[in-house]
Amino acid sequence: MLRDIDVAIIGAGPAGIAAGVGARRAGAENVVVFERDWDLGGILQQCIHPGFGLHTFKEELTGPEYVHRYLERAHEAGVTFVTNTMVFHMEEDGSFWTMNPERGIEHVRPKATVLAMGCRERPLGALGVPGSRPAGIYTAGTAQRFVNMEGYMPGKRVVVLGSGDIGLIMVRRMLLEGAKVEAVFELMSWPGGLRRNIAQCLDDYGVPLYLDHTVTKVHGKDRLEAVTVAQVDQYKSPIPGTERTIECDTLLLAVGLIPENELSRMAGVEIHPLTGGPKVNQFLQTSKPNVFAAGNVVVVYDLVDWVSAEGLRAGENAARYALGTLRSPGRTFQVEPGRGVRLLSPQVVGDQEDSMVFLRVSEPVERRCRIVTMPDVGSANLRYARPGEMNELKIKAEALRSLGDDVKAIQVHVEEVR
Ligand SMILES: Cc1cc2nc3c(=O)[nH]c(=O)nc-3n(C[C@H](O)[C@H](O)[C@H](O)COP(=O)(O)OP(=O)(O)OC[C@H]3O[C@@H](n4cnc5c(N)ncnc54)[C@H](O)[C@@H]3O)c2cc1C
């Protein structure tokens, strides 16, 4: 089974499952997905709240329901899944090493590989908050796994730092399980998560959100006893005199997600400094031609539907590469973030077919605005633009083909419509 693999996929979250389907549908014979967990589905296994699949299945599903539906497609397509198998090393040629309790260590040499390892949460250590490290401080995703999958309650009196979606979802979850949630504190001047999650998880339960605030100290030796919070100035430094101490036994952190790219780096794949994921072209092909990437390992997405769509395309293109039928991208252009754009992906597009670029804005624009390109190769109208939500832009191949030879890069800007 592990010999003569056409397309190998690392990670069986939504991106990896979809990549398997795409690779099989595009004609690859032997498509194998390697997953370190004992079950399939990635982070969606613990997301028992609804809100998944509105685009893909035209229904509002929970995370496990979404995975179940997609796995049906994968099994129909003939994708092979290998669980309990950690990919622990990648070689520069795209081959990799796996470890499995029964089969031991194996060297896998596929014709093409899709990276789909997802992302991980930023821990407290990365924030440098003073104080000891008592029990009771968790990333929101860890607490979510405890409550939804392991059947443990992390605590009874909770403060949340960061207003990313996982933190917002966990506010509601902890409340429904009987905990008291004191408040959510956010360093930025705007919320990090989706508006619908602010409304459904905070406003509906009367939990306050304090923008421009952070935790400046944790108290307690063995168990967390309290946190000190303070307002911050425009440089994000705590303002003296605004500190207050809140008693709590649990601090949940929703302070950002980091694409999981240790393997990508081992393989020598170029990592983009803004996304923290592999630099990819419109085929989701990395700087190593036989290595493709999809989902949160490339850039942190807000909706699983985009992740699955990207996984499908990465799998299809990896299959074409393995079969020797991947078309040339033609003349290629760098796509660069300009005014109002924090990050975007893919960062390279070709002039042979239209490309979809996903982007996040750097600041909220709460009025009609427009994504524009310089030179003009595509644009999109938006009712608003918020950092917590991904936006899409179609870059037209025909417009790229009309550009002079001196043009090497396309800049993407967001501007208000007056
Ligand atoms: C708490 C939370 C709430 C969310 N809510 C919503 C929502 O309401 N609606 C919505 O549409 N989206 C939501 N999302 C977003 C969506 O779930 C993610 O975008 C999506 O799961 C990302 O899929 P992925 O396959 O890229 O990564 P993941 O789901 O993280 O999967 C990565 C997989 O790779 C495996 N892996 C990693 N490294 C290795 C290795 N070395 N060897 C083998 N396997 C490996 C992991 O075990 C994991 O199974 C939410 C996300 C979170 C975290």
Side-chain angles (χ1 to χ4, degrees), residues 115 118 259-261 272 275-280 284 292-301 310 345-347:
L115 307 170
E260 181 112 28
N261 275 295
H272 196 279
T275 58
K279 183 173 177 182
V280 288
L284 284 319
F292 295 72
N296 281 2
V297 80
V298 177
V299 61
V300 176
Y301 281 90
E310 185 170 283
S345 175
Q347 299 88 11

Side-chain angles (χ1 to χ4, degrees), residues 10-17 34-37 39-47 49-54 61 66 85-88 116-119 121 140-141 144 165-167 169-170 194 196-197 257 260 263 294-307:
I10 307 176
I17 297 171
F34 294 84
E35 171 56 52
R36 64 185 170 190
D37 202 350
D39 209 352
L40 308 172
I43 197 76
L44 291 205
Q45 294 178 73
Q46 64 186 58
C47 296
H49 58 280
F52 297 86
L54 281 170
L61 304 169
Y66 183 95
T85 305
M86 176 84 181
V87 178
F88 67 92
M117 292 90 73
C119 60
E121 296 171 284
Q144 187 179 49
D165 285 314
I166 318 175
I169 297 284
M170 280 312 289
L194 299 173
R196 73 173 194 215
N197 284 336
L257 300 166
E260 181 112 28
L263 292 174
N296 281 2
V297 80
V298 177
V299 61
V300 176
Y301 281 90
D302 54 347
L303 293 183
V304 72
D305 304 85
W306 310 142
V307 170

Side-chain angles (χ1 to χ4, degrees), residues 240-256:
T242 63
E243 300 90 355
R244 66 191 158 109
T245 298
I246 302 171
E247 280 181 30
C248 59
D249 62 14
T250 306
L251 173 65
L252 297 188
L253 305 168
V255 289

